[in-house]
Amino acid sequence: MTQVVAIIQGRMSSSRLPGKILADIAGQLMLQRVFIRTSRAATVTEIIFATTTDPSDDPVAEYCDFSGIPFTRGSLYDVLDRYYQAAKQTKADYVVRITADCPVIDPALIDDVVTTLLEGDYDFVCNRLPPPWHRTYPIGLDVEACTFKVLEKAWKEARELQHREHAMPYFYEGVELNTINRQLQTGLSPRGFRVALLNHITDFGDYRWTVDTPEDLEFMRQVYSRFDGRDDFSWKDVLDLVHGEPELMEINSGIQHKTLKDIDKRALK
């Protein structure tokens, strides 16, 4: 059986909103929200939460242990190593990267990315790339997936801090994408990786549905409260909600999204 492992990364020592992954959102912790929604992806055979060995993440490990969420602990700043060790431990054939600050991550979008990877001749598939590329899905619906083979190659070869901290840019850095149709772009990266980017026909790339600041957290609490704390709604349901109540997106509209070049300065010490 093909082993498709979703690895959810998260730590307590976020630079902008420490402790966010254990923040309450309408009666459930954000970490749990992400885990439950990811678990609904039909293509995923196993999920593991990848936190760090830093003492600040002891509460994360305790919560996972208590809640029955499989977890592993690894490097604080070398996220690529954290992914590789978790993938090796779970005997992954394919690895899906999810971040714990995306509480409206959509299982259907995870399936879209994974299916493209499984059925196409690709090393890396995603539904967004950072600038200078253009994204069409809201920030917070980000899914990246790759083969274990290329993850191991990146783990062995990648040396630059942004490659280690952001886990997967080694695959797509410098790629020039060709448009196959309105929903698919593909290209061969300078390092020889076959890359595919999935797009949404209507561009919602400036919508912000991730949690990196107190304003983001308040936005997510409002979203979940509109669904009475349920977590079975789709990203299209959230779209309908914010279009019906545009004032909701004003809550966090002034937040600047971090870029690929942003690295945690604490990793330099």
Side-chain angles (χ1 to χ4, degrees), residues 1 10 57 59 68 72 91 118 141 196 202 209 218 227 235 251 265:
M1 180 180 174
D57 286 315
T72 184
K91 296 182 170 57
L118 293 176
L141 298 180
T202 308
W209 299 354
E218 177 57 27
F227 294 103
W235 81 275
I251 295 171
K265 298 300 189 289

Side-chain angles (χ1 to χ4, degrees), residues 24-261:
D24 181 88
I25 299 177
Q28 218 166 40
L29 302 193
M30 182 158 68
L31 183 164
Q32 184 80 31
R33 295 279 188 200
V34 177
F35 181 83
I36 289 171
R37 292 179 69 88
T38 302
S39 71
R40 294 202 175 104
T43 54
V44 170
T45 55
E46 189 169 341
I47 307 172
I48 190 165
F49 195 88
T51 192
T52 87
T53 53
D54 192 79
S56 65
D57 286 315
D58 288 349
V60 179
E62 289 167 11
Y63 178 77
C64 287
D65 198 35
F66 175 77
S67 305
I69 295 174
F71 71 97
T72 184
R73 303 183 73 171
S75 172
L76 183 59
Y77 299 116
D78 188 347
V79 183
L80 176 55
D81 182 66
R82 221 191 301 167
Y83 268 82
Y84 175 69
Q85 301 302 337
K88 200 164 67 161
Q89 179 180 317
T90 53
K91 296 182 170 57
D93 298 303
Y94 299 90
V95 172
V96 184
R97 179 178 179 239
I98 305 291
T99 58
D101 52 8
C102 296
V104 293
I105 191 72
D106 194 292
L109 297 184
I110 296 173
D111 286 337
D112 287 346
V113 170
V114 173
T115 299
T116 303
L117 181 64
L118 293 176
E119 295 181 355
D121 190 23
Y122 304 114
D123 299 307
F124 172 83
V125 179
C126 60
N127 63 357
R128 81 88 176 90
L129 286 174
W133 299 277
H134 185 71
R135 68 179 299 139
T136 54
Y137 285 98
I139 300 165
L141 298 180
D142 303 4
V143 183
E144 297 178 350
C146 68
T147 66
F148 177 78
K149 182 179 177 181
V150 298
L151 182 72
E152 186 168 56
K153 183 176 173 64
W155 176 77
K156 288 176 179 176
E157 296 177 358
R159 292 288 175 267
E160 295 182 35
L161 280 177
Q162 74 260 26
H163 296 155
R164 309 300 300 193
E165 185 175 326
H166 296 295
M168 295 189 176
Y170 192 75
F171 303 132
Y172 57 78
E173 199 171 62
V175 70
E176 291 187 13
L177 296 170
N178 303 302
T179 299
I180 306 302
N181 55 52
R182 293 174 70 187
Q183 293 177 283
L184 178 66
Q185 291 176 285
T186 67
L188 188 69
S189 81
R191 296 188 178 95
F193 298 109
R194 296 159 298 182
V195 173
L197 170 64
L198 304 186
N199 292 307
H200 191 259
I201 291 174
T202 308
D203 187 351
F204 299 115
D206 59 347
Y207 288 23
R208 183 176 173 82
W209 299 354
T210 188
V211 177
D212 214 16
T213 69
E215 294 88 347
D216 296 330
L217 183 58
E218 177 57 27
F219 169 75
M220 279 302 168
R221 285 171 169 163
Q222 292 295 329
V223 167
Y224 266 90
S225 72
R226 298 304 194 279
F227 294 103
D228 301 318
R230 299 188 341 266
D231 51 34
D232 57 354
F233 54 89
S234 72
W235 81 275
K236 295 284 183 67
D237 293 327
V238 182
L239 203 58
D240 290 342
L241 172 66
V242 299
H243 287 167
E245 297 185 51
E247 64 276 11
L248 281 174
M249 290 216 295
E250 293 174 13
I251 295 171
N252 63 346
S253 62
I255 305 303
Q256 184 68 36
H257 192 58
K258 290 196 288 190
T259 71
L260 181 62
K261 296 297 182 186

